[in-house]
Amino acid sequence: MACVAVNSLVRTIELEFLQPLPRPIVRQNQLIPANENLIQNLHQKLGDLIELFDENRMDGIQAIKHLETKLRDVAFRVENEIEFQIVHLYEIEGNAGIAGLFVKTPQSTIDSKEGENLRIDAQGNWHSFKLGYILKRAIRDIDAIHKELSKLQGIGRKTTAGVDVMMMAGDHQHASHSHPLHSSSIMVGKNNEFHTVKAMLIHHSSRQREIVSIQGMGGIGKTTLARRVYEDPSVASRFDIRAWVVVSQYHNRLQMLTDLLKSIGGCEVVSSTEEDQLAQRLYQNLLHRRYFVVIDDIWSVEAWDSVKACFSDNGNGSRVLLTTRSAQVAAFIGSNSDFSHQMQFLEEGESWNLFQEKTSKFQGSEFDMIGRQIVKKCKGLPLAIVVAAGLFSKLHTLDEGKNVAKILNSSATTTIDEECSRILSSSYNHLPHSLKACFLYLSLFPEDYEIHVSEIVKLWVAEGLVKTSEDMSFDAVARRHIQELKDRNLILVSRLSSCGRKVKTFRMHDLLHSFCVREAKKENLLHVVYENGSNSSQKGFRWLSIQSTRFNKQTLYSSLIYCRSIFSFPGQYTSLNSKICPLLRVLYNNQCGVAYLVHLRCVLSRQTVSTIPFRSWNLQTLSVLRIDEISFLEFPQLQHFHGYGIPMDCPIRFHQDLKRIGTLRDDHCTKEFFTNIPYVEKVKISSKGGWNDCFNNIACLHQLQSLDFFCYRPGQIPNNNCIVSLKNLRKLRFWTVNFESKTINIFSKLPKLELVLLMGCDWIGGEWELLENESFDQLIYLEIKYSNLKRWKASACHFPNLERLVIDGCKELEKIPAEFAEIPNLKSIELNGCLHSAMDSAMKIQRQQRRQGNDNMVVIKKFTIKEMRHVLKIRRSKLM
């Protein structure tokens, strides 16, 4: 309960009072000198108390929950008082142009008598003494809670480690709205169901387009079954084209069409926002081809009606597979009973096998007896079984196991929904507080939303939910939390990074997302504006998620006084200032004007922001499409800066610890500029061709790990450049540049280079030849896209650790070097828009790899040049 409140308050204290350079108005009003000991004391006590709560995570101990509630209320009160005081300081500063813009601070909790004494004692420094009173009162309250908690330490069971909330690799563990990830998870007890659905898809005699349905409750494994069928080689080879899309409870036709087109891939570039135009494009792509489309998690007939016209009946055995919780939806949309499958619960033996598989360790016969009691409570639902197994696998003593079983058996619930909810709740209650806070913040995203790791890390840090450690930065700790959530199966990986070693995007299972939203609302953290629901607003919430284009802004704005995060998924324009939301610190995906938001820490938007809040001293992330108006900027906490259309001669004072900046023009890349930001790790540069000085100056960035270089007018990269001096460079991407073989080969000298992406680049002479000593020893990912490359002379020695090779739109490439069959770690070759000869060479490499024992190496083929021309021909004929 207190996890969000305490973590947030601790970070606020650090930013406002403990950083080397606090905001000027705090220094001007002498808030810190007289209160330094109180500040340090409160900061330490909060840390100690939350650790004590972590050591006493007990499910069902009402006294502990009561103390957590008290701690939450204290922490929220203190943080509000501190931040409102800073807002008030700016208001009374009386600078021209801002008078009256700030909200009046809510009535202070200081009573009149004590307030009068403070005024007498303050001797003219009222603000410093007011802060002192806030801190002293907070310390008294924290000490009282600590004392009560110490008395309760003997109650119940102490947990010494976080508890895994393991989840079945079940519903919605898919790769994206478009493609499910390959999974090695075992479907215990589902082989019969797999063969049943597979037969409907490829063995049934019907040549018509049939609608196959898989129906069952949430958590029963519908998506897991659909994914296994989708990835089965005999199914994949049966169809010319496959696609995967997720619908969810509130369907969006535009999103469905966009995701289906992205899933199909090929030569499609989805840029239109006209639904009918996208629908026509999808129809043309599927016409005259045997297709297999999975429509996952469909809730209504209306969702199907919105896209069904795209799926023509070509009389060639095409199939559409639906997964749904609704028997009515399955019956109405599905072809007939021959093409409908009802998911079954696991039998007792299958349930126990799944439980054992997920606990991953033998704990003895007594543990097994307790485990069987728990499994019985799960009533054959895979999700509930695996969540319980995850909780059970982290227990260390028999008493702990008995306690869990007692808690789960204490309820009189009879339905599987109630049992599953209770198991999720029990597992959640045993999470470490820091991880619990980060988990709750995911409630801001809509159901089935694809969450980018690079964004959520920044959001967590900005909200103050992440605690740093002596040897790890905030970003590093946040990314560790991502890994922990992944390990606990609280999140479902959607996409991995190009190298395949990091999570790039993820989603949440529907049941876990619903649970997360419910918990956040219960704590009055979250308010959601839904498209088809009641949008009456409660008061006092901290997080707002706008998931509708239709709502009363005035009514909503009147309740934002304590709001810290605003997420907008329609991305509509809003105008925000300190009268509306004085404590706001996070803006996500808003197209807006922001004025005098003094506590703003993070702006992440694919939209335009009209003005930059120059008083946001603690701004950490600024990533927008463009900014219309810029004034004097000084952001000592700024770590990530990105914005197209921002003139780099604007008066921004970057902090030397800046980690990411983009996109720079080549004429901005001066030695002086780079010298001032020596710790930058990621840079994007755009150029019109004058890049010689840029290449030389970039050598100043010794910590650079990722370089993205885009050229508006094709030009040649100089053979002698200073990029090779960047010894920490891991990722190198060039867009629309020309080079000789020896130019690209020189980058083999980069000792840590793991990823190379060459997009629209041309080889002079059309040949890439590597010499014996020109080997990319650490390279694991290579992508060549839309290139004139014809001949490629290389061996396994030149790419000894290559894992993934992507060739896209290289219409002249004759073949992949045959020697790549000897690369030991090769996992995949992906080809799209290539000659048949190139695809044949890849298949030969695959056969050789498998003869050598590498059975996991795959070749992913999409369109050949001939197929692409056929699709374009059909499209032109339809337009005529």
Side-chain angles (χ1 to χ4, degrees):
M1 294 182 185
C3 53
V4 172
V6 174
N7 285 3
S8 181
L9 174 56
V10 166
R11 186 60 182 145
T12 293
I13 291 171
E14 291 169 353
L15 284 172
E16 299 298 351
F17 307 125
L18 298 180
Q19 64 169 302
L21 192 64
R23 65 173 74 233
I25 204 162
V26 168
R27 287 178 273 142
Q28 292 164 12
N29 284 273
Q30 298 289 307
L31 295 188
I32 298 175
N35 298 303
E36 189 169 0
N37 290 336
L38 292 173
I39 293 168
Q40 295 282 0
N41 195 5
L42 178 59
H43 184 265
Q44 182 64 45
K45 286 179 179 292
L46 287 167
D48 292 343
L49 189 56
I50 204 66
E51 286 183 11
L52 192 58
F53 271 106
D54 254 343
E55 293 173 0
N56 289 272
R57 291 195 303 277
M58 288 172 279
D59 196 11
I61 305 301
Q62 195 59 41
I64 296 291
K65 291 183 177 180
H66 173 68
L67 287 180
E68 276 203 79
T69 301
K70 289 180 66 174
L71 177 59
R72 178 200 64 189
D73 294 343
V74 169
F76 279 154
R77 184 201 75 218
V78 174
E79 186 174 41
N80 290 342
E81 290 174 345
I82 290 173
E83 292 192 322
F84 272 123
Q85 184 177 9
I86 291 171
V87 171
H88 185 61
L89 289 175
Y90 279 112
E91 183 184 31
I92 64 176
E93 190 179 44
N95 283 357
I98 70 168
L101 271 179
F102 291 98
V103 70
K104 294 296 182 182
T105 306
Q107 182 65 39
S108 173
T109 53
I110 303 174
D111 63 44
S112 57
K113 182 177 180 180
E114 288 182 293
E116 187 60 34
N117 290 336
L118 281 174
R119 288 187 178 90
I120 295 171
D121 294 340
Q123 297 179 349
N125 198 351
W126 158 252
H127 301 293
S128 174
F129 277 84
K130 181 180 179 182
L131 175 63
Y133 175 83
I134 293 170
L135 297 173
K136 288 177 182 177
R137 183 182 179 209
I139 290 171
R140 286 200 304 269
D141 292 341
I142 295 298
D143 284 342
I145 294 171
H146 193 288
K147 184 177 180 180
E148 289 184 62
L149 181 59
S150 298
K151 294 178 181 178
L152 295 171
Q153 277 188 276
I155 299 176
R157 158 182 70 80
K158 293 178 69 176
T159 61
T160 57
V163 181
D164 267 348
V165 181
M166 301 293 288
M167 198 178 85
M168 179 184 185
D171 285 355
H172 302 285
Q173 189 168 345
H174 38 71
S176 67
H177 279 294
S178 52
H179 285 295
L181 272 178
H182 298 284
S183 174
S184 60
S185 60
I186 300 172
M187 290 184 59
V188 174
K190 299 296 181 182
N191 277 331
N192 290 338
E193 295 188 287
F194 164 72
H195 290 297
T196 298
V197 175
K198 181 179 175 180
M200 297 176 186
L201 296 172
I202 65 175
H203 297 314
H204 198 281
S205 59
S206 173
R207 302 294 297 170
Q208 295 179 311
R209 180 213 66 184
E210 301 291 358
I211 312 298
V212 179
S213 64
I214 300 176
Q215 189 265 320
M217 69 173 295
I220 202 168
K222 300 184 297 296
T223 302
T224 301
L225 178 57
R227 184 180 64 253
R228 184 179 174 191
V229 171
Y230 186 92
E231 295 175 350
D232 184 74
S234 60
V235 173
S237 62
R238 168 74 174 172
F239 298 96
D240 302 323
I241 189 169
R242 294 178 300 152
W244 183 294
V245 67
V246 182
V247 180
S248 300
Q249 187 169 358
Y250 302 110
H251 80 276
N252 181 311
R253 184 178 185 237
L254 175 62
Q255 190 67 54
M256 290 171 65
L257 293 169
T258 301
D259 292 336
L260 281 165
L261 282 167
K262 288 180 179 178
S263 176
I264 290 170
C267 60
E268 291 294 345
V269 177
V270 181
S271 58
S272 174
T273 57
E274 295 294 330
E275 292 181 8
D276 291 341
Q277 182 180 346
L278 293 177
Q280 180 67 14
R281 193 182 302 178
L282 177 61
Y283 173 84
Q284 291 169 355
N285 272 278
L286 299 179
L287 190 64
H288 303 309
R289 309 180 78 185
R290 183 188 291 141
Y291 56 81
F292 175 34
V293 176
V294 176
I295 301 181
D296 189 27
D297 192 29
I298 187 167
W299 286 65
S300 66
V301 175
E302 290 75 20
W304 166 248
D305 288 342
S306 70
V307 296
K308 68 179 181 181
C310 300
F311 306 114
S312 60
D313 190 346
N314 301 321
N316 59 6
S318 292
R319 298 286 187 264
V320 177
L321 175 63
L322 311 174
T323 72
T324 181
R325 300 184 190 186
S326 169
Q328 290 77 16
V329 170
F332 190 90
I333 301 174
S335 292
N336 55 57
S337 58
D338 290 342
F339 295 96
S340 178
H341 177 67
Q342 171 71 47
M343 295 289 292
Q344 302 297 311
F345 293 106
L346 296 178
E347 296 178 358
E348 184 176 344
E350 295 169 338
S351 297
W352 178 243
N353 289 340
L354 178 59
F355 184 84
Q356 286 185 308
E357 176 195 325
K358 294 301 180 180
T359 52
S360 302
K361 63 180 181 180
F362 177 76
Q363 296 175 307
S365 58
E366 291 182 293
F367 265 106
D368 278 0
M369 291 178 61
I370 297 170
R372 288 185 183 275
Q373 296 176 36
I374 294 173
V375 170
K376 189 175 182 179
K377 294 288 291 183
C378 297
K379 301 181 184 292
L381 184 69
L383 172 64
I385 293 167
V386 183
V387 169
L391 174 61
F392 197 76
S393 66
K394 292 295 181 179
L395 305 179
H396 301 284
T397 69
L398 190 61
D399 285 341
E400 289 176 338
K402 290 178 179 178
N403 188 56
V404 170
K406 181 180 179 181
I407 292 167
L408 295 179
N409 285 315
S410 63
S411 67
T413 55
T414 57
T415 69
I416 184 60
D417 283 323
E418 291 174 325
E419 292 293 358
C420 185
S421 178
R422 187 169 182 82
I423 291 168
L424 291 178
S425 180
S426 182
S427 299
Y428 165 78
N429 288 335
H430 287 79
L431 287 174
H433 279 79
S434 58
L435 201 57
K436 190 182 293 185
C438 291
F439 175 72
L440 287 179
Y441 198 70
L442 300 180
S443 63
L444 277 155
F445 295 95
E447 180 182 312
D448 275 316
Y449 192 83
E450 189 169 11
I451 302 169
H452 288 256
V453 169
S454 61
E455 292 184 341
I456 193 62
V457 164
K458 298 178 181 66
L459 294 166
W460 281 344
V461 173
E463 260 288 356
L465 306 182
V466 176
K467 296 189 297 181
T468 189
S469 60
E470 293 182 1
D471 57 343
M472 296 182 72
S473 66
F474 283 106
D475 277 12
V477 173
R479 289 184 180 275
R480 186 178 66 182
H481 287 345
I482 293 289
Q483 185 61 42
E484 289 173 351
L485 290 172
K486 174 180 174 290
D487 293 343
R488 299 167 189 274
N489 284 335
L490 279 172
I491 60 175
L492 306 173
V493 175
S494 297
R495 283 188 291 159
L496 298 174
S497 61
S498 297
C499 64
R501 299 180 181 180
K502 295 181 179 179
V503 178
K504 189 171 184 178
T505 64
F506 64 87
R507 287 189 175 88
M508 299 179 72
H509 187 285
D510 286 357
L511 295 184
L512 276 167
H513 179 268
S514 298
F515 174 82
C516 186
V517 169
R518 189 164 61 248
E519 287 295 313
K521 287 182 176 180
K522 186 170 69 176
E523 295 297 316
N524 201 29
L525 293 168
L526 175 70
H527 176 65
V528 183
V529 179
Y530 291 110
E531 189 73 48
N532 300 315
S534 172
N535 291 325
S536 59
S537 177
Q538 75 260 29
K539 302 292 183 181
F541 57 84
R542 290 172 66 94
W543 306 335
L544 171 66
S545 180
I546 302 173
Q547 300 176 25
S548 170
T549 55
R550 299 188 297 273
F551 62 94
N552 187 318
K553 289 186 178 181
Q554 295 306 315
T555 300
L556 184 63
Y557 286 175
S558 66
S559 60
L560 297 182
I561 189 169
Y562 297 108
C563 189
R564 284 357 190 255
S565 288
I566 297 179
F567 284 41
S568 176
F569 295 96
Q572 75 274 14
Y573 182 85
T574 52
S575 181
L576 303 170
N577 58 46
S578 281
K579 266 188 175 297
I580 299 172
C581 41
L583 308 184
L584 191 68
R585 60 179 62 154
V586 171
L587 274 170
Y588 182 83
N589 203 32
N590 288 74
Q591 180 183 359
C592 62
V594 289
Y596 313 109
L597 298 174
V598 300
H599 291 296
L600 202 61
R601 300 178 189 173
C602 178
V603 180
L604 272 174
S605 178
R606 300 174 184 89
Q607 311 291 331
T608 296
V609 175
S610 60
T611 57
I612 286 299
F614 64 91
R615 292 179 179 272
S616 301
W617 186 259
N618 292 324
L619 191 67
Q620 300 163 4
T621 296
L622 177 59
S623 181
V624 295
L625 181 64
R626 64 175 294 115
I627 299 174
D628 291 340
E629 180 183 339
I630 299 177
S631 57
F632 177 80
L633 305 173
E634 185 174 7
F635 303 136
Q637 290 289 324
L638 193 65
Q639 295 279 307
H640 308 277
F641 175 79
H642 184 274
Y644 294 101
I646 299 177
M648 290 309 301
D649 55 353
C650 68
I652 301 178
R653 295 183 183 177
F654 289 115
H655 190 240
Q656 69 168 2
D657 289 336
L658 189 74
K659 293 293 188 290
R660 175 180 177 178
I661 188 168
T663 299
L664 300 175
R665 295 200 311 262
D666 51 8
D667 55 340
H668 296 141
C669 301
T670 64
K671 186 174 182 180
E672 179 184 10
F673 180 78
F674 284 149
T675 301
N676 290 329
I677 49 172
Y679 301 112
V680 163
E681 296 174 354
K682 188 171 185 176
V683 167
K684 293 185 178 180
I685 299 172
S686 65
S687 171
K688 294 182 179 180
W691 52 47
N692 286 343
D693 288 341
C694 172
F695 276 128
N696 292 329
N697 296 333
I698 206 169
C700 300
L701 302 178
H702 301 295
Q703 302 301 316
L704 195 65
Q705 297 181 18
S706 176
L707 174 61
D708 201 325
F709 195 93
F710 177 82
C711 189
Y712 288 101
R713 292 196 299 262
Q716 187 172 343
I717 297 178
N719 292 335
N720 297 318
N721 62 75
C722 293
I723 293 179
V724 293
S725 67
L726 302 174
K727 302 305 181 183
N728 289 300
L729 197 67
R730 294 182 54 255
K731 181 177 181 179
L732 181 61
R733 174 157 49 185
F734 286 112
W735 300 74
T736 59
V737 298
N738 302 332
F739 41 69
E740 298 174 345
S741 283
K742 61 182 179 181
T743 305
I744 199 71
N745 292 352
I746 197 174
F747 298 130
S748 65
K749 296 180 179 180
L750 293 166
K752 296 183 180 180
L753 190 64
E754 295 180 347
L755 299 95
V756 171
L757 300 93
L758 306 173
M759 327 293 283
C761 300
D762 284 346
W763 271 265
I764 297 173
E767 183 172 286
W768 186 10
E769 180 178 5
L770 291 103
L771 302 179
E772 184 178 352
N773 63 341
E774 295 173 332
S775 61
F776 291 81
D777 292 337
Q778 302 303 319
L779 197 70
I780 58 178
Y781 180 88
L782 175 61
E783 180 174 352
I784 306 172
K785 193 169 186 176
Y786 304 126
S787 170
N788 71 332
L789 182 62
K790 297 179 182 178
R791 294 172 297 279
W792 189 1
K793 298 180 180 180
S795 70
C797 296
H798 294 119
F799 302 97
N801 289 297
L802 188 66
E803 295 180 4
R804 294 186 61 201
L805 173 64
V806 178
I807 307 293
D808 189 354
C810 297
K811 297 182 288 186
E812 301 178 62
L813 182 63
E814 297 170 357
K815 63 178 182 178
I816 311 296
E819 292 83 355
F820 282 14
E822 300 173 11
I823 298 176
N825 297 321
L826 191 62
K827 295 179 180 177
S828 67
I829 299 177
E830 182 176 331
L831 300 104
N832 182 38
C834 297
L835 295 170
H836 272 293
S837 60
M839 293 193 173
D840 288 343
S841 66
M843 294 305 297
K844 289 179 182 178
I845 292 171
Q846 182 189 49
R847 288 193 291 270
Q848 182 63 29
Q849 284 270 342
R850 293 190 173 179
R851 279 196 293 268
Q852 295 169 178
N854 185 6
D855 294 332
N856 295 322
M857 190 267 165
V858 296
V859 172
I860 303 170
K861 298 184 296 181
K862 294 186 180 178
F863 291 88
T864 64
I865 293 175
K866 183 177 180 181
E867 289 172 331
M868 291 177 69
R869 289 171 179 167
H870 177 66
V871 171
L872 291 171
K873 183 178 179 180
I874 293 173
R875 187 179 305 157
R876 290 193 205 100
S877 67
K878 290 292 181 181
L879 294 174
M880 294 177 66

